[in-house]
Amino acid sequence: MPKNTATDGLRVKPHAKVRLRDWDTAAGPKELRHLRDDELKQEAQEILARNLQRLTVAQDLLWASDQYAMLVVLQGMDAAGKDGLIKHVMSGINPQGCEVFSFKRPTDEELQHDFLWRYTRHLPARGRIGIFNRSYYEDVLVVRVHPEWLDKQHLKPSRSLWHGRYDDINNLEHHLTVNRTIVRKFFLHISRKEQKRRLLARLDDPQKHWKFSESDLAERAYWKDYVEAYEETLSATSTKDAPWYIIPADHKWIARALVSEILASAICELKLEFPKPTQAQLTAIRKAKRILES
Ligand code: AMP
Ligand code: MG
């Protein structure tokens, strides 16, 4: 994978042992660290605007060349900014070539199947970008924190169950890559303090009340357990082909700029080209032009 200096440091190297406290939640790349808050926001907005243009062109190519699909996995603690990121980063994208799936608690029907079933049904087709707002990773994260939820699947938590799931996920992502689905995964990394600020903002602002869920507060109490589950997951499932990026997400604009940068670059690296017409098509085009013009 070619290096991109600003974002390469955010990629979890295969087999690296992730300790989240070593990863910045605020400014991220060194290049941006010296900036004041207002400068940072402006710089990030400019990067985002530039990347949105790149993404628009890249998506057109992805669609027209019809060779690759792209799967974007978004994970993070509650209030990490997943929804806002999707709204902003995808604003320049043609809706025809993009689908977003938000995964909530599984239904009874879904629980009757293997854990990957409900996700694989929504994988993007060639030419398309699929965004998983939460994903099969919940089955080694929230379910790891609440192992009693396995009861409904008649499974018992154990080290080998979780490691088996990491293997299943790595195998799935390998299978996707070989079949030309580009996989990019983002952990939106916020501090506990920033989560508190955002949850309080949801309570204080009537326009944000709808975002508040009592479960956010309940889950916040498990912060440490989530950190452990994330650390183990990020360490076990970041591969060369399907890398995790740990995105500093305390500043929403920075997170959005970084993710848009990584996505645009991932598509550009494919060096796609618009399909070239065959000789027969060129003849037909010339003929059609003559008819229309006469
Ligand atoms: P939100 O993303 O705020 O709409 O919340 C969705 C909720 O669904 C979160 O609390 C997730 O932890 C939960 N969820 C998503 N996937 C799963 C899963 N596979 N098993 C259990 N809970 C899940
Ligand atoms: Mg929520």
Side-chain angles (χ1 to χ4, degrees):
M1 194 179 304
K3 282 216 175 340
N4 179 326
T5 46
T7 54
D8 202 57
L10 307 174
R11 186 162 56 86
V12 178
K13 310 290 180 290
H15 312 295
K17 182 118 189 55
V18 173
R19 273 197 324 181
L20 283 176
R21 64 174 176 279
D22 297 339
W23 292 74
D24 193 10
T25 56
K30 281 191 223 68
E31 291 79 349
L32 300 180
R33 275 185 208 161
H34 63 283
L35 299 176
R36 291 198 316 268
D37 268 11
D38 54 331
E39 290 174 328
L40 207 55
K41 180 169 176 180
Q42 200 186 344
E43 175 73 20
Q45 281 177 330
E46 281 166 21
I47 298 175
L48 179 64
R50 259 199 319 275
N51 286 333
L52 288 187
Q53 284 182 355
R54 282 175 72 207
L55 252 184
T56 307
V57 177
Q59 188 211 7
D60 262 356
L61 264 171
L62 196 70
W63 177 256
S65 57
D66 197 32
Q67 295 199 41
Y68 290 89
M70 179 171 228
L71 174 65
V72 181
V73 170
L74 287 180
Q75 288 289 156
M77 302 281 198
D78 291 312
K82 297 187 292 299
D83 297 277
L85 185 134
I86 293 171
K87 186 162 101 184
H88 282 89
V89 172
M90 293 300 148
S91 61
I93 288 257
N94 177 355
Q96 269 208 84
C98 177
E99 280 159 304
V100 182
F101 294 97
S102 297
F103 293 99
K104 313 282 177 189
R105 286 181 84 151
T107 62
D108 285 343
E109 189 203 6
E110 288 167 341
L111 287 170
Q112 293 291 72
H113 291 266
D114 69 277
F115 85 98
L116 290 172
W117 181 77
R118 68 178 189 136
Y119 308 99
T120 51
R121 305 165 82 199
H122 299 295
L123 288 168
R126 234 177 281 287
R128 289 171 170 269
I129 300 176
I131 300 174
F132 281 7
N133 182 4
R134 301 187 189 271
S135 65
Y136 39 84
Y137 282 99
E138 290 295 329
D139 294 81
V140 288
L141 294 164
V142 67
V143 183
R144 178 108 190 224
V145 174
H146 301 285
E148 65 280 8
W149 292 358
L150 287 172
D151 289 351
K152 282 197 173 170
Q153 290 161 296
H154 310 292
L155 295 169
K156 292 257 171 297
S158 70
R159 248 192 106 62
S160 79
L161 180 118
W162 305 120
H163 282 262
R165 287 192 168 188
Y166 297 145
D167 290 343
D168 294 337
I169 289 173
N170 285 335
N171 288 334
L172 170 69
E173 291 176 351
H174 175 72
H175 163 79
L176 291 175
T177 306
V178 170
N179 286 280
R180 293 201 155 184
T181 294
I182 308 301
V183 184
R184 292 291 180 273
K185 306 175 294 195
F186 301 95
F187 170 63
L188 301 189
H189 186 25
I190 52 167
S191 62
R192 195 151 193 261
K193 194 168 144 216
E194 177 62 16
Q195 188 196 48
K196 178 176 170 179
R197 202 190 62 74
R198 290 186 191 175
L199 292 180
L200 275 174
R202 288 181 183 180
L203 300 178
D204 290 340
D205 179 351
Q207 288 198 354
K208 288 187 178 170
H209 281 170
W210 65 272
K211 288 192 191 181
F212 178 71
S213 151
E214 270 178 272
S215 81
D216 292 346
L217 219 56
E219 294 311 301
R220 182 173 160 81
Y222 291 96
W223 183 275
K224 208 167 139 274
D225 297 339
Y226 275 104
V227 167
E228 278 172 23
Y230 266 110
E231 288 181 339
E232 202 174 320
T233 299
L234 295 167
S235 306
T237 59
S238 195
T239 58
K240 182 174 160 284
D241 292 327
W244 272 108
Y245 288 86
I246 299 181
I247 302 293
D250 279 353
H251 299 291
K252 292 175 179 169
W253 287 104
I254 295 194
R256 292 166 190 169
L258 292 168
V259 171
S260 62
E261 172 89 30
I262 293 163
L263 292 181
S265 300
I267 301 178
C268 290
E269 278 163 24
L270 299 174
K271 305 242 179 298
L272 298 172
E273 285 178 13
F274 285 103
K276 292 206 172 43
T278 60
Q279 210 48 51
Q281 283 168 327
L282 281 175
T283 312
I285 287 168
R286 266 187 242 113
K287 187 173 163 203
K289 205 164 167 230
R290 267 202 312 277
I291 294 172
L292 279 172
E293 282 170 352
S294 65

